[in-house]
Amino acid sequence: MVICGGLKIKNYLGRCLRYLASIAVAAALLAGLSGCAQETEDVGNPRKVKIGVTLYDQYDTFLTLLMDCLHREVEDNVELVIYNASQSQQTQNSQVKKMIEDGCDVICVNLVDRTDPTAVIDAARKADVPIIFFNRELVEGDISRWNKLFYVGADAAESGIMQGEMAAVTCLTDKSIDKNGDGAIQYVVLEGEAGHQDAIVRTEYCVETLMKKGVAVDKLGNSIANWNRAQAQTKVAQMIDSGSDAIELILANNDDMALGAIDAYEAYEIKKSDWPAIFGIDGTEVGLEAVRDDKMVGTVYNDKEGQAHAIYRLSMALAGGGSIEDVEDEFTVTDGKYIRLHYDKITAANINKYLGN
Ligand code: BGC
């Protein structure tokens, strides 16, 4: 007990000192890093904190919404610069170098290739600029390569479990889902990009949860549609063409692909009562509307507001010379590196809480 108390006080004092240090550094930044503010020309125009961001693909629906949330966080004394890597790791590496040259105080990286962060890490380390990776998680061996590397995202397993639980409730309570009455649910998984942690983990956990909850399942196929609505529509249309009208359940790794499946059924003018039960993940605006309109049975909320807030607060702490411990009052920090926001289940029952968010 005493030791715990002592540790707590030590932690508290440590936090205070770090807090004071970060205020001092922030003050130095605001004073243009040139000594006494009164002596500079920039008195009324202090240097802004500069946050650089690079996205794997700016046209990704979830990331667009996440960036909208990040923009809303930005205060007057902060400049936010966002680059699109257009799915090229090489382009992203050059963007990171450019942001370092441009004097970014912290760089937020949505990796194109989550297994290839070496050039980004090396450049940042050389220039001593902290990096916050987000949404596309690098492997543990890479994040431990330097003490100024962090990750903000969510726990992919949690989203897979929630999707599986919602689907299980539907399959166990609504007997009309088992259209051919064979006692098993014929299902298809629409998967995100190969190698993305959310695609791998969501796929595994949603099906495992469904089975654990006692739903007899029969896999008709897994199809990669790269998080993309049009690709998902094409894949599902092919399944319908090839006579897979027996699909009773579609578990999509994200809302865009669930919407692509809906597009396919609508394009074939298949009547709603013959559709499979369709589930997504993200809770995007269009995804929520599909739940409201009873086209998607449920989705899982990917907390974009929480992730944007964590990225921003951590950026500000790091830019001011502080550390991830400075945001522990608001976020759960794991291993001194990770902040993961929680997901939430959304069905027709609680959709109103999310619509208009
Ligand atoms: C989201 C997807 C998004 C992907 C991009 C996932 O967490 O659920 O909608 O396309 O991240 O990396």
Side-chain angles (χ1 to χ4, degrees), residues 56 60 62-63 135-136 196 198 202 227 254 282 302:
Y56 92 102
D60 180 287
F62 177 71
L63 287 166
N135 172 265
R136 299 162 74 89
H196 191 301
D198 289 343
R202 286 173 184 170
W227 307 120
N254 78 345
D282 276 343
N302 197 352

Side-chain angles (χ1 to χ4, degrees), residues 56-57 60-63 110-111 134-137 151 154 156 159 192-193 196-199 202 226-228 253-257 281-284 300 302 307 343:
Y56 92 102
D57 181 352
D60 180 287
T61 307
F62 177 71
L63 287 166
N110 178 232
L111 279 169
F134 65 98
N135 172 265
R136 299 162 74 89
E137 187 170 341
Y151 180 75
S159 55
E193 245 173 301
H196 191 301
Q197 81 281 344
D198 289 343
R202 286 173 184 170
N226 295 309
W227 307 120
N228 183 285
N253 282 171
N254 78 345
D255 281 358
D256 265 10
M257 294 188 292
I281 292 179
D282 276 343
T284 59
V300 179
N302 197 352
Q307 289 168 38
Y343 287 96

Side-chain angles (χ1 to χ4, degrees), residues 77-305:
N77 61 332
V78 178
E79 185 184 343
L80 178 67
V81 192
I82 302 180
Y83 285 86
N84 177 20
S86 307
Q87 307 224 13
S88 156
Q89 190 56 58
Q90 254 187 328
T91 303
Q92 186 161 66
N93 297 345
S94 313
Q95 290 171 344
V96 169
K97 283 186 195 131
K98 168 101 175 67
M99 288 188 269
I100 291 171
E101 281 160 22
D102 289 350
C104 282
D105 300 293
V106 57
I107 298 176
C108 306
V109 180
N110 178 232
L111 279 169
V112 174
D113 180 350
R114 57 184 280 265
T115 65
D116 189 17
T118 304
V120 168
I121 295 175
D122 289 350
R125 190 173 184 173
K126 201 164 150 220
D128 196 28
V129 177
I131 300 275
I132 302 171
F133 294 96
F134 65 98
N135 172 265
R136 299 162 74 89
E137 187 170 341
L138 64 175
V139 296
E140 213 182 310
D142 284 325
I143 204 168
S144 355
R145 281 178 47 199
W146 186 35
N147 64 358
K148 290 187 183 171
L149 305 176
F150 305 94
Y151 180 75
V152 173
D155 177 3
E158 186 181 47
S159 55
I161 291 169
M162 286 184 174
Q163 191 184 52
E165 285 174 349
M166 287 192 299
V169 169
T170 303
C171 294
L172 294 171
T173 55
D174 181 353
K175 293 297 165 203
S176 73
I177 303 291
D178 182 11
K179 285 187 279 178
N180 62 2
D182 67 349
I185 301 297
Q186 278 71 42
Y187 75 92
V188 164
V189 179
L190 292 175
E191 292 187 38
E193 245 173 301
H196 191 301
Q197 81 281 344
D198 289 343
I200 300 166
V201 177
R202 286 173 184 170
T203 300
E204 179 187 337
Y205 279 85
C206 69
V207 177
E208 189 186 290
T209 306
L210 201 56
M211 293 194 295
K212 270 195 192 152
K213 293 282 171 191
V215 179
V217 290
D218 179 10
K219 175 169 149 184
L220 290 184
N222 280 25
S223 196
I224 295 179
N226 295 309
W227 307 120
N228 183 285
R229 183 168 179 163
Q231 286 187 35
Q233 175 174 0
T234 307
K235 293 282 167 82
V236 174
Q238 281 163 0
M239 292 176 203
I240 297 172
D241 275 341
S242 67
S244 289
D245 55 347
I247 307 172
E248 294 170 339
L249 172 66
I250 293 185
L251 299 161
N253 282 171
N254 78 345
D255 281 358
D256 265 10
M257 294 188 292
L259 292 160
I262 292 170
D263 293 340
Y265 283 93
E266 286 184 336
Y268 277 84
E269 296 184 359
I270 295 173
K271 65 175 194 295
K272 175 72 191 29
S273 55
D274 289 337
W275 290 15
I278 300 173
F279 291 85
I281 292 179
D282 276 343
T284 59
E285 280 156 28
V286 258
L288 294 174
E289 281 162 20
V291 175
R292 179 198 61 199
D293 299 343
D294 195 31
K295 294 179 178 178
M296 207 194 288
V297 185
T299 184
V300 179
Y301 200 67
N302 197 352
D303 183 2
K304 55 187 188 309
E305 289 83 5

Side-chain angles (χ1 to χ4, degrees), residues 14-91:
R15 258 208 296 275
C16 286
L17 286 174
R18 269 192 304 277
Y19 182 63
L20 289 173
S22 66
I23 290 177
V25 177
L29 276 173
L30 291 174
L33 294 170
S34 52
C36 181
Q38 277 87 340
E39 286 166 15
T40 69
E41 288 176 0
D42 274 346
V43 179
N45 190 15
R47 179 189 179 279
K48 286 188 166 190
V49 172
K50 204 164 175 177
I51 303 175
V53 178
T54 159
L55 301 175
Y56 92 102
D57 181 352
Q58 71 172 356
Y59 298 106
D60 180 287
T61 307
F62 177 71
L63 287 166
T64 306
L65 297 171
L66 182 66
M67 288 304 106
D68 289 348
C69 296
L70 187 59
H71 275 293
R72 284 200 286 274
E73 294 279 333
V74 173
E75 298 149 296
D76 286 346
N77 61 332
V78 178
E79 185 184 343
L80 178 67
V81 192
I82 302 180
Y83 285 86
N84 177 20
S86 307
Q87 307 224 13
S88 156
Q89 190 56 58
Q90 254 187 328
T91 303

